[in-house]
Amino acid sequence: MDFLQKSIAAKTIFAAFIGAVFSTIVGILAARFIGPSSLFISGAVVFAVTSYIVYAYLHKPLQKIFGEIKALLTGHPYKKIFTNRIDEIGILGHFFNEVTKSIERVSADIQEGQRMSKELSVGSDIQRKILPVQMPTIPGIALFGNTRPASEVGGDSFDVFTGANNNTYVYVGDVTGHGLPAGLIMVMVNTLIRTLSEVQQSGYDIMINTNRILKQRIEQRRFMTAILLRYNTADKKLFYTGCGHEHLLIWRKQTGVCEVRQTGGIALGMVPDISKIIREEEIALLPGDRVILYSDGIVEAKNMTGEMYGVSRLQNAVQALSPLSAMPEELFTNILKDFAAFVGEQTQADDMTLIVVQKLV
Amino acid sequence: MLSIKFITDIRDTAYEVVEFDGEIDAATLPGAYKKINSLLESYTRPFLVFDWRAVRYTNSDGVGLLMTVYDSLTQKGGVLILIGLQPQVADVCSAVGLPTIMPLFKTLQDAIVFMKKPK
């Protein structure tokens, strides 16, 4: 009897057989007890019973299913179909339930994606507002720079601001990873450095305290490389404090040579106390000399053949393009053109930051 | 791909060696953390040696793993030692300042000499 459960066709044939037997019995009994005219009555009875069976087993369930399908297609509320049937109508009911389940899952994913995208957009806005909109005018130096995150929220940051005691600071930082967690750390460090610059006298003091506070608040596996330049507008001297960041590039106008200098130190957030590991050092510069800061997103970018841009290539670009670039902004643009020609159409894998600082007097 | 093997020298209870083979990056990191964390939970020896002679590539993710282990060991008074860094890996570690806080050696023998030194 299993085949009867699974097939409407089988059910229909079976029902027709039962109907034929039933109508024969009713006809014989009616003819015997009522008379020949009872054939009409028995026919009517058989027709009524058959019609009811067709309505109850076929029409009503199909009507229910198609009603829910119509509701789904026209954007109206629909209901799950409850059925124990395993024939064609049962399959249709189960199929409807599975389709609506999948649609609901995809819809939830889309809504979640939209929500996250909105949050990332807010995060990206906050981050963008922290970054300098345009380069400030600082007596004695000219500078230009920018950062481009790899995703909506990046881990790279740079800033230019004035602190206490005639000090102007330029810093570039790079948090491990990118995305929202890295962006939050970037915002934290930016705020710390800016705040501490108003009370501390040197890049060394700022970074030690930034590190001490940051270490208490971030996961063990996260850290931030950074380099902080301090230019004192009174004595016109430039200093740097390295915290595990990329090498500095220094272009000397007189010789035309671009030197590479290790920044040293240790990244912020690795250990609680970096007072014995970092130091602030002077960069002796003459007017026209330039200092180039960047993040690893530039030197580690690869082209189609998998070759990295690299520090050497950047150094050569600075050396070749500096004499052709009157001001930092021009050098910035020319370096990026060289970079873009190298990487081609490759997707940006990491945040990128580049800053050019030039001593004027 | 990354494989991790734990090697215990039964003659010396001062250290255990963890051998890495492959690349340490975002893709292989979750598996690495799982294995290392299970070791660290009950680790009580004074030194832990990470043998990175067969680590072909790493980035800040690998450094993050080292810092997690470093923090965990330091809290228990232990020392993390790295041996056999390949040039690219050495550059990454050196750039962020790892040599200033973590002993690095070329070979296990050099590391053993360091471990045996009276403190």
Side-chain angles (χ1 to χ4, degrees):
Chain A
M1 296 303 273
D2 195 39
F3 72 95
L4 274 183
Q5 281 187 308
K6 289 183 183 173
S7 168
I8 288 177
K11 276 185 197 164
T12 309
I13 294 167
F14 184 71
F17 172 73
I18 298 294
V21 169
F22 177 70
S23 64
T24 304
I25 295 170
V26 167
I28 292 171
L29 288 173
R32 185 155 179 209
F33 292 104
I34 300 172
S37 62
S38 66
L39 280 173
F40 171 76
I41 296 167
S42 66
V45 169
V46 167
F47 177 77
V49 170
T50 309
S51 296
Y52 177 75
I53 291 170
V54 168
Y55 169 77
Y57 266 109
L58 293 179
H59 177 78
K60 195 170 169 197
L62 280 175
Q63 191 182 41
K64 166 82 178 144
I65 292 172
F66 287 129
E68 299 303 336
I69 291 174
K70 187 180 171 187
L72 172 67
L73 292 174
T74 54
H76 288 95
Y78 55 85
K79 291 182 199 158
K80 186 176 169 178
I81 292 167
F82 293 95
T83 178
N84 293 325
R85 292 171 72 154
I86 54 174
D87 58 11
E88 288 88 336
I89 290 178
I91 289 171
L92 194 58
H94 291 304
F95 177 72
F96 174 82
N97 290 339
E98 285 302 311
V99 165
T100 52
K101 214 192 304 182
S102 299
I103 290 173
E104 283 160 14
R105 207 169 23 240
V106 167
S107 176
D109 285 347
I110 290 172
Q111 280 180 8
E112 177 64 13
Q114 283 172 344
R115 186 192 65 79
M116 282 185 63
S117 185
K118 197 173 169 189
E119 279 186 12
L120 285 174
S121 177
V122 170
S124 176
D125 268 346
I126 291 172
Q127 201 171 50
R128 218 178 359 256
K129 285 182 169 86
I130 283 173
L131 298 171
V133 173
Q134 59 185 76
M135 296 294 115
T137 305
I138 300 150
I141 58 172
L143 51 89
F144 191 83
N146 209 343
T147 188
R148 191 168 82 186
S151 53
E152 285 94 336
V153 183
D156 267 16
S157 75
F158 81 95
D159 205 356
V160 184
F161 52 92
T162 307
N165 284 15
N166 301 309
N167 286 318
T168 293
Y169 295 92
V170 181
Y171 98 92
V172 173
D174 183 359
V175 184
T176 37
H178 41 88
L180 210 45
L184 291 174
I185 294 172
M186 180 280 250
V187 169
M188 216 188 312
V189 170
N190 185 283
T191 308
L192 282 169
I193 290 179
R194 267 194 175 250
T195 307
L196 289 166
S197 75
E198 292 176 10
V199 294
Q200 305 285 358
Q201 314 300 322
S202 69
Y204 173 79
D205 290 325
I206 291 171
M207 292 316 233
I208 287 171
N209 288 294
T210 297
N211 174 78
R212 179 177 53 78
I213 298 167
L214 182 71
K215 177 61 181 164
Q216 297 166 18
R217 280 158 177 75
I218 60 173
E219 300 170 82
Q220 294 156 328
R221 63 190 178 97
R222 296 231 182 242
F223 54 88
M224 180 173 183
T225 68
I227 177 159
L228 180 66
L229 295 186
R230 176 173 69 89
Y231 179 72
N232 190 281
T233 50
D235 61 28
K236 299 183 178 46
K237 286 185 177 176
L238 185 71
F239 303 84
Y240 75 94
T241 306
C243 294
H245 199 68
E246 296 291 322
H247 301 333
L248 263 182
L249 297 183
I250 305 168
W251 180 74
R252 305 282 182 189
K253 186 175 178 184
Q254 265 189 356
T255 60
V257 170
C258 178
E259 62 184 78
V260 178
R261 189 183 294 194
Q262 268 197 319
T263 55
I266 188 170
L268 302 173
M270 279 188 160
V271 293
D273 180 7
I274 59 172
S275 58
K276 294 186 176 39
I277 304 174
I278 68 166
R279 57 179 186 269
E280 187 177 58
E281 294 192 59
E282 186 181 351
I283 308 173
L285 293 177
L286 294 173
D289 289 352
R290 289 167 177 158
V291 174
I292 290 89
L293 310 179
Y294 54 94
S295 65
D296 63 359
I298 292 198
V299 292
E300 290 181 7
K302 290 181 181 170
N303 64 7
M304 293 276 290
T305 62
E307 195 186 351
M308 268 198 234
Y309 189 67
V311 178
S312 296
R313 193 167 272 112
L314 180 60
Q315 179 189 14
N316 292 339
V318 169
Q319 196 158 296
L321 298 168
S322 281
L324 310 173
S325 313
M327 293 304 285
E329 186 169 352
E330 276 178 67
L331 179 58
F332 175 93
T333 305
N334 289 334
I335 291 172
L336 284 191
K337 279 181 186 167
D338 184 75
F339 174 81
F342 176 82
V343 298
E345 297 296 320
Q346 289 292 85
T347 311
Q348 183 183 343
D350 195 3
D351 308 324
M352 299 194 302
T353 302
L354 179 68
I355 317 267
V356 178
V357 180
Q358 178 174 324
K359 190 162 197 287
L360 297 175
V361 292
Chain B
M1 283 283 294
L2 177 70
S3 76
I4 296 174
K5 210 162 43 171
F6 301 112
I7 298 167
T8 309
D9 183 347
I10 56 170
R11 297 164 299 177
D12 196 334
T13 55
Y15 68 93
E16 196 165 317
V17 177
V18 183
E19 254 181 29
F20 291 71
D21 185 343
E23 301 181 349
I24 304 175
D25 54 24
T28 57
L29 213 51
Y33 270 114
K34 207 171 166 186
K35 282 200 162 151
I36 301 299
N37 284 338
S38 67
L39 170 73
L40 288 177
E41 269 163 21
S42 53
Y43 196 78
T44 53
R45 297 179 185 213
F47 300 97
L48 178 60
V49 179
F50 273 12
D51 183 346
W52 277 20
R53 283 174 297 167
V55 173
R56 294 181 285 275
Y57 168 85
T58 195
N59 51 21
S60 55
D61 290 318
V63 177
L65 172 68
L66 290 174
M67 288 318 301
T68 304
V69 176
Y70 171 89
D71 264 1
S72 183
L73 279 179
T74 307
Q75 280 170 30
K76 297 192 238 187
V79 176
L80 176 64
I81 298 172
L82 271 181
I83 64 169
L85 298 187
Q86 295 303 314
Q88 185 272 336
V89 175
D91 278 348
V92 169
C93 293
S94 175
V96 297
L98 226 45
T100 59
I101 56 167
M102 213 176 278
L104 307 182
F105 299 103
K106 279 208 169 82
T107 65
L108 182 58
Q109 275 314 309
D110 295 337
I112 291 171
V113 167
F114 166 80
M115 286 188 269
K116 298 285 183 235
K117 258 190 213 166
K119 297 287 176 279

